[in-house]
Amino acid sequence: AFAVRAEKRLGKPVRCGLVDLRCHGASAQLAGIRPPHDLRSAANDFVQTISVELPEGDTLEGLVGHSLGGKVVLQYLEEIKDCEARRRLLPRSAWVLDSVPAAAAGKLVGDTEEVLASVAAVDLSRHSSPSDVARHFEEALGFSKGVSAWLSTSVVKDGTALRWKFDIAGCRDLFQSYQTADLMPIVRNPPSGTAVHFVKAERSPRLDGDVGEELGRLSDDSSHPLQMHILKDAGHWLHVDQPRRLLELMAGTL
């Protein structure tokens, strides 16, 4: 859907690749995805995938990640910044959507811990369909309709039973890595030729406080390749809340 909107907005063909992070979606079923499940491993998954999928001579116009994926994008830049053989894999722009680049806990990670705990605790054998699971998360557990619907997209039929598409234990490991990793050094000194864009969702606290203030100062420095954007009337799931406004922000770099 994003590629279709982008092509209509830009008036030219747009090729987008949607990658499931390790322990998520189809990647959770791949035999070759082994521990440790951390940001560095996830970033190197990206390196390997893009190395294969990016045609020789083509340019990677943009790399986009939301939440955990945003921090994986920063780790990706860290992994390839000093490797001349990987220079072709550097994106012209890196977009980090409502993700904390420094070590994060408490309100800076929102309800992620609660979501993981609830996913691990739910008994799928008591539910008949993904939509039934969504209702349980919304009505019994009190999650928002959007988060509940999103979680239910990771519930699939396995014969007559339901199962999660993601690896819950692996996702916990990734979340722990997200919390402890400090990638502000690559934010302060990104690879030459890559513009870094942070998008703060107006209603999300993740980029509040000291980290948000530093990002603002870097953005105000005309010599630094970082830009800070605020997406109005959007919560953490900003690509769901305001997809068209998000595309408008990104259109100039595609």
Side-chain angles (χ1 to χ4, degrees):
F2 181 84
V4 172
R5 289 195 189 106
E7 287 187 344
K8 187 174 181 179
R9 166 66 176 79
L10 299 171
K12 64 180 182 180
V14 174
R15 182 186 180 205
C16 292
L18 182 62
V19 181
D20 283 335
L21 293 176
R22 58 173 47 225
C23 305
H24 293 69
S27 294
Q29 312 305 314
L30 296 178
I33 304 293
R34 296 185 175 88
H37 299 309
D38 56 18
L39 290 183
R40 187 170 187 182
S41 296
N44 278 299
D45 294 340
F46 271 40
V47 172
Q48 294 176 33
T49 301
I50 294 171
S51 296
V52 172
E53 295 294 331
L54 184 68
E56 197 68 41
D58 280 11
T59 299
L60 182 60
E61 294 293 333
L63 193 60
V64 185
H66 168 253
S67 199
L68 169 64
K71 212 159 185 176
V72 173
V73 166
L74 295 176
Q75 186 69 52
Y76 173 93
L77 298 181
E78 179 66 38
E79 295 301 310
I80 65 175
K81 67 173 184 176
D82 295 324
C83 181
E84 190 60 36
R86 292 175 168 178
R87 290 292 299 177
R88 79 179 192 94
L89 304 181
L90 281 174
R92 288 181 60 248
S93 63
W95 285 81
V96 181
L97 310 182
D98 212 46
S99 180
V100 185
K107 71 174 185 177
L108 298 184
V109 294
D111 60 0
T112 306
E113 287 180 286
E114 185 182 359
V115 169
L116 284 171
S118 297
V119 165
V122 71
D123 182 0
L124 290 181
S125 69
R126 300 180 62 184
H127 299 280
S128 59
S129 66
S131 59
D132 188 39
V133 174
R135 281 193 298 273
H136 174 74
F137 272 87
E138 183 180 1
E139 297 172 7
L141 300 181
F143 288 98
S144 71
K145 185 173 184 177
V147 170
S148 301
W150 169 70
L151 284 170
S152 73
T153 64
S154 290
V155 178
V156 293
K157 283 267 190 181
D158 190 358
T160 58
L162 297 177
R163 66 170 175 83
W164 292 106
K165 278 199 296 187
F166 47 74
D167 174 349
I168 298 173
C171 287
R172 283 186 181 278
D173 291 344
L174 283 167
F175 177 58
Q176 183 176 18
S177 180
Y178 174 94
Q179 287 182 291
T180 57
D182 180 8
L183 291 168
M184 283 303 295
I186 195 71
V187 172
R188 298 181 185 113
N189 187 29
S192 175
T194 297
V196 179
H197 298 262
F198 274 82
V199 180
K200 171 180 167 47
E202 185 180 36
R203 300 198 306 266
S204 170
R206 284 167 174 78
L207 291 176
D208 289 344
D210 293 343
V211 173
E213 289 176 6
E214 181 171 359
L215 293 177
R217 288 194 297 271
L218 292 172
S219 182
D220 290 339
D221 181 352
S222 60
S223 66
H224 197 278
L226 182 145
Q227 294 184 52
M228 181 78 162
H229 313 270
I230 297 177
L231 194 60
K232 297 291 186 181
D233 196 27
H236 178 60
W237 307 99
L238 69 181
H239 54 298
V240 175
D241 291 344
Q242 297 293 345
R244 286 180 171 78
R245 288 183 185 176
L246 179 60
L247 176 58
E248 286 300 316
L249 280 180
M250 299 176 63
T253 69
L254 297 174

